Amino acid sequence: MLHFELVTPEKLVRSEDVYMVVVPGSEGDFGVLEGHAPLMSTIRDGALHIYKSDKAEPEMLAIAGGFAEVNARGLTVLAERIG
C-alpha cells in the first residue's frame, strides 16, 4: 500500500494507506503507486483521484495549487486549499 498524506497550510487533512492516487500535475496528471520513483512536481487546480484498492471506484477531492512529493515514505500533497 502507498502511504498518502494531504496537507494544507492550516492542517494535516488526511494520512492513510491507499492503493493509488492520481495527481493533477502542472505538466499533466500522473498516478502514484507504492514503490514509485522519487518525484517532486507542482500541481494545478483539479481533482485528486484516490483509490482505496485496485478495483475500487476513485474518491475525487478538489484541490487548488501546491506541490506533490513522492519519496520512500510515500506521497505527500501540499495543497494551497481544498474544495
Side-chain angles (χ1 to χ4, degrees):
M1 297 295 281
L2 170 71
H3 187 70
F4 166 62
E5 290 190 344
L6 176 59
V7 182
T8 65
E10 294 81 33
K11 65 180 179 175
L12 173 65
V13 177
R14 292 178 105 152
S15 180
E16 62 187 324
D17 290 335
V18 298
Y19 174 71
M20 180 175 75
V21 179
V22 177
V23 179
S26 57
E27 300 294 320
D29 293 356
F30 61 93
V32 180
L33 293 159
E34 180 180 25
H36 194 287
L39 168 77
M40 189 162 220
S41 175
T42 54
I43 53 178
R44 68 182 193 288
D45 297 355
L48 290 171
H49 293 73
I50 304 162
Y51 295 82
K52 301 278 186 170
S53 71
D54 62 345
K55 303 215 188 288
E57 289 294 315
E59 174 187 352
M60 297 195 323
L61 189 60
I63 60 171
F67 296 90
E69 179 183 11
V70 181
N71 58 35
R73 294 183 309 268
L75 168 66
T76 301
V77 173
L78 303 135
E80 292 174 10
R81 68 179 187 281
I82 297 172

